[in-house]
Amino acid sequence: MGATTIGMMDAAYFVGRNEILSWVNSTLELSLCKVEEAASGAVYCQLMDVVHPGMVSMHKVSFDAKSEYEMIQNYKVLQDVFNKLKIGRHIEVSKLVKGRPLDNLEFLQWMKRYCDQINNNHVNPTYNAAERRETCKGGKEMNRRALGTSSSSNNSQVSAKSASTVGAKANGGGARRVTENTNPNVNGGGRGGGVVGGGLSAARHMKDGMEQVSGVNEDHVKQITELKLSVESLEKERDFYFTKLRDIEILCQAPELSYIPVVKAVQRILYAAEDDPSVIAEAKAMVEGESSLGILSPGSQYLDDNQDLLG
């Protein structure tokens, strides 16, 4: 199945925000923190440039787009690429430029599926994302921000490693001083042996305790990640079925259909305030009552009119 024809319940739409952001940042050498940062359309244009080099007019793309008018210009470039490649995916520009997370997440999920399909799940090794962005308006500033974020992250890691090294050296020095100032025997007896043996035993217990805490923290992080993915999937499924119910509601409100008994029964179920079994019974009674009057019987004028409308 092509990426342009995948359904809303396809696995592509259950990829979480974190995985999507990680994919975008690694592919385009960016440092996005939220999916709505792609709302300007520039990110979408460059993702298409990755899989179809030279097809996107990158000099027309603006990474500095702030107003909806500027963002729409980016989407015009994207739509032009879609037209050239005969991609049937509809771009809901009016929703994407609003910067709503769900709309942009959905489009990024589709983009990932499309790019994976074209590249066979491999990143183009010859593509220089930062260099291509240089030709865009605001591209140089975007590169500086991405580089600054990366440098800041690296500095934090270096600082943490340095602090860890200093601590380890301090602990090592303390251990050596204790050893030098004591007079342990082979069996660990005597005053000196007791101090050293006790110190080593305490160190071992502390090490074991730290390993246990580290293992618990990793388990918690894993559980939290799994819960977040589960919540995102449930939210996606909820929104999908809500949209379906809303479409049914709009159809039932059409003047030419609102008097049909079946439509009235459906509305009774839709507008029920509580999950009460009696609602279903009432809806059935509404349909059966009209049917007993011949309104829905074969050959009736009402049935013929309904069939014409539905036809």
Side-chain angles (χ1 to χ4, degrees), residues 43 51 87 97 122 135 171 182 195 197 217 237 242 248 273:
V43 169
V51 293
I87 299 175
V97 296
H122 295 292
T135 62
N171 291 335
T182 56
V195 171
N217 288 339
E237 189 172 359
F242 175 81
I248 293 172

Side-chain angles (χ1 to χ4, degrees), residues 157-231:
Q157 293 177 359
V158 170
S159 299
K161 185 181 293 185
S162 299
S164 176
T165 303
V166 171
K169 289 182 178 179
N171 291 335
R176 283 195 298 273
R177 285 194 296 273
V178 170
T179 304
E180 291 168 356
N181 294 332
T182 56
N183 184 24
N185 56 32
V186 176
N187 297 325
R191 185 169 179 272
V195 171
V196 174
L200 293 176
S201 178
R204 281 196 295 270
H205 284 304
M206 183 177 293
K207 181 180 179 181
D208 293 341
M210 291 298 292
E211 290 177 351
Q212 291 177 359
V213 170
S214 177
V216 171
N217 288 339
E218 290 179 359
D219 290 340
H220 286 172
V221 170
K222 184 177 180 181
Q223 291 175 3
I224 291 172
T225 302
E226 291 176 352
L227 288 173
K228 285 183 177 179
L229 293 176
S230 177
V231 169

Side-chain angles (χ1 to χ4, degrees), residues 59-71:
H59 65 280
K60 296 181 180 180
V61 177
S62 174
F63 276 88
D64 197 33
K66 297 294 188 295
S67 66
E68 288 192 10
Y69 172 77
E70 292 173 322
M71 295 178 184

Side-chain angles (χ1 to χ4, degrees), residues 104-119:
N104 282 275
L105 174 62
E106 178 184 316
F107 198 64
L108 279 173
Q109 289 169 331
W110 178 86
M111 289 290 290
K112 183 178 188 303
R113 171 64 178 272
Y114 179 81
C115 293
D116 288 346
Q117 177 179 303
I118 298 299
N119 282 344

Side-chain angles (χ1 to χ4, degrees), residues 29-44:
E29 300 175 22
L30 290 174
S31 55
L32 303 185
C33 298
K34 301 177 181 178
V35 292
E36 52 266 38
E37 292 181 59
S40 70
V43 169
Y44 301 134

Side-chain angles (χ1 to χ4, degrees), residues 15-292:
V15 180
R17 286 179 174 83
N18 292 336
E19 184 177 345
I20 285 292
L21 287 172
S22 177
W23 170 72
V24 173
N25 290 334
S26 62
T27 302
L28 302 184
E29 300 175 22
L30 290 174
S31 55
L32 303 185
C33 298
K34 301 177 181 178
V35 292
E36 52 266 38
E37 292 181 59
S40 70
V43 169
Y44 301 134
C45 289
Q46 190 167 14
L47 285 173
M48 293 301 295
D49 188 59
V50 174
V51 293
H52 298 290
M55 185 66 69
V56 182
S57 301
M58 292 296 287
H59 65 280
K60 296 181 180 180
V61 177
S62 174
F63 276 88
D64 197 33
K66 297 294 188 295
S67 66
E68 288 192 10
Y69 172 77
E70 292 173 322
M71 295 178 184
I72 289 174
Q73 301 308 308
N74 287 337
Y75 284 103
K76 285 183 178 180
V77 175
L78 183 63
Q79 185 63 66
D80 183 56
V81 175
F82 276 28
N83 293 339
K84 290 178 181 178
L85 297 172
K86 296 182 180 180
I87 299 175
R89 166 76 187 195
H90 175 62
I91 306 174
E92 297 185 351
V93 180
S94 59
K95 292 183 178 180
L96 294 172
V97 296
K98 299 297 183 183
R100 290 184 292 195
L102 188 61
D103 295 321
N104 282 275
L105 174 62
E106 178 184 316
F107 198 64
L108 279 173
Q109 289 169 331
W110 178 86
M111 289 290 290
K112 183 178 188 303
R113 171 64 178 272
Y114 179 81
C115 293
D116 288 346
Q117 177 179 303
I118 298 299
N119 282 344
N120 196 23
N121 294 323
H122 295 292
V123 178
N124 185 355
T126 62
Y127 185 81
N128 191 325
E131 182 179 327
R132 288 290 290 165
R133 229 174 1 255
E134 292 279 340
T135 62
C136 305
K137 180 181 177 182
K140 293 181 179 180
E141 178 62 27
M142 177 63 75
N143 286 342
R144 280 195 291 270
R145 287 202 298 268
L147 183 61
T149 304
S150 176
S151 299
S152 176
S153 177
N154 291 336
N155 289 337
S156 298
Q157 293 177 359
V158 170
S159 299
K161 185 181 293 185
S162 299
S164 176
T165 303
V166 171
K169 289 182 178 179
N171 291 335
R176 283 195 298 273
R177 285 194 296 273
V178 170
T179 304
E180 291 168 356
N181 294 332
T182 56
N183 184 24
N185 56 32
V186 176
N187 297 325
R191 185 169 179 272
V195 171
V196 174
L200 293 176
S201 178
R204 281 196 295 270
H205 284 304
M206 183 177 293
K207 181 180 179 181
D208 293 341
M210 291 298 292
E211 290 177 351
Q212 291 177 359
V213 170
S214 177
V216 171
N217 288 339
E218 290 179 359
D219 290 340
H220 286 172
V221 170
K222 184 177 180 181
Q223 291 175 3
I224 291 172
T225 302
E226 291 176 352
L227 288 173
K228 285 183 177 179
L229 293 176
S230 177
V231 169
E232 288 176 359
S233 298
L234 291 173
E235 287 178 349
K236 193 71 179 177
E237 189 172 359
R238 176 203 63 191
D239 294 338
F240 172 77
Y241 287 112
F242 175 81
T243 302
K244 291 296 182 185
L245 289 173
R246 178 57 180 157
D247 292 340
I248 293 172
E249 181 186 23
I250 293 173
L251 181 64
C252 291
Q253 291 173 346
E256 63 272 18
L257 300 177
S258 59
Y259 68 89
I260 301 177
V262 174
V263 174
K264 291 180 179 179
V266 172
Q267 288 179 321
R268 177 70 183 91
I269 296 173
L270 285 176
Y271 298 140
E274 299 178 357
D275 186 12
D276 190 347
S278 64
V279 174
I280 301 296
E282 291 178 15
K284 288 183 178 179
M286 292 170 65
V287 176
E288 292 172 356
E290 298 291 349
S291 178
S292 64

